[in-house]
Amino acid sequence: NMSELVSQYYLWLKAIHIIFVISWMVGIFYLPRLYVYHCQVTPGSEADETFKVMERKLLRVIMNPAMIVSFVTGILLIIATGAGAPGTGYWMHIKLVLVILMGGVHGMLSKYRKGFERGENEKSEKFYRMLNEVPTVLMILIVLLVVVKFI
């Protein structure tokens, strides 16, 4: 039985999930800040090229793998615990919607990185400063739902 097998490793899965969620959040909080500073440099300059490398490595080496491991371990934890099943409340359903929105923010950040890579960024510093607040609000709501399970 898949649920029993996954349940044997529950604490390890939970630890790995938390570690990789933290890693993902670090990147998703930092990348828009890099974009704010990237907006301030001249396209084609040495600083522009440095930002491109930093942004690409942050996404490919840290954020993408961290998001994938977060999703996989999260799904396994749902299997192990039955969270979201009838009678367990709606907190998991809402959490999953918020996590999907966080994935959407990740996708937007990836798209904007490609624009910077091509020298075609059309967004302002202010836009990236405001975008930087979205994952913060999502993360707070997700943590409250997981810990307090108020819904």
Side-chain angles (χ1 to χ4, degrees):
N1 182 329
M2 176 73 163
S3 180
E4 289 173 17
L5 178 66
V6 173
S7 294
Q8 288 179 329
Y9 299 100
Y10 172 74
L11 292 178
W12 282 102
L13 284 171
K14 191 174 185 179
I16 292 166
H17 184 70
I18 292 168
I19 290 164
F20 280 86
V21 167
I22 291 168
S23 300
W24 184 28
M25 290 303 95
V26 167
I28 214 162
F29 294 152
Y30 186 48
L31 191 56
R33 297 301 310 164
L34 285 176
Y35 293 165
V36 167
Y37 301 125
H38 198 162
C39 285
Q40 299 171 7
V41 303
T42 305
S45 67
E46 188 175 333
D48 179 51
E49 295 306 316
T50 300
F51 277 116
K52 288 177 186 179
V53 170
M54 292 170 66
E55 293 157 0
R56 182 173 53 251
K57 287 186 176 183
L58 180 58
L59 253 166
R60 290 185 180 166
V61 177
I62 297 171
M63 291 173 64
N64 289 344
M67 180 183 71
I68 291 165
V69 173
S70 296
F71 278 32
V72 169
T73 55
I75 291 165
L76 292 172
L77 287 167
I78 290 170
I79 292 168
T81 63
T88 62
Y90 295 103
W91 67 271
M92 179 56 74
H93 303 91
I94 297 166
K95 178 202 174 196
L96 290 174
V97 169
L98 297 175
V99 168
I100 290 166
L101 290 173
M102 189 77 79
V105 170
H106 182 113
M108 287 172 59
L109 292 173
S110 180
K111 177 182 178 245
Y112 297 143
R113 186 201 66 79
K114 290 173 186 165
F116 275 113
E117 189 76 39
R118 293 187 306 266
E120 298 171 358
N121 173 53
E122 296 176 358
K123 305 292 184 193
S124 68
E125 280 181 55
K126 184 176 180 181
F127 173 82
Y128 292 119
R129 286 182 199 279
M130 295 190 53
L131 180 60
N132 198 209
E133 302 308 319
V134 174
T136 304
V137 171
L138 290 172
M139 183 268 308
I140 290 167
L141 293 171
I142 290 166
V143 169
L144 288 173
L145 284 165
V146 171
V147 174
V148 182
K149 297 178 174 77
F150 57 87
I151 296 175

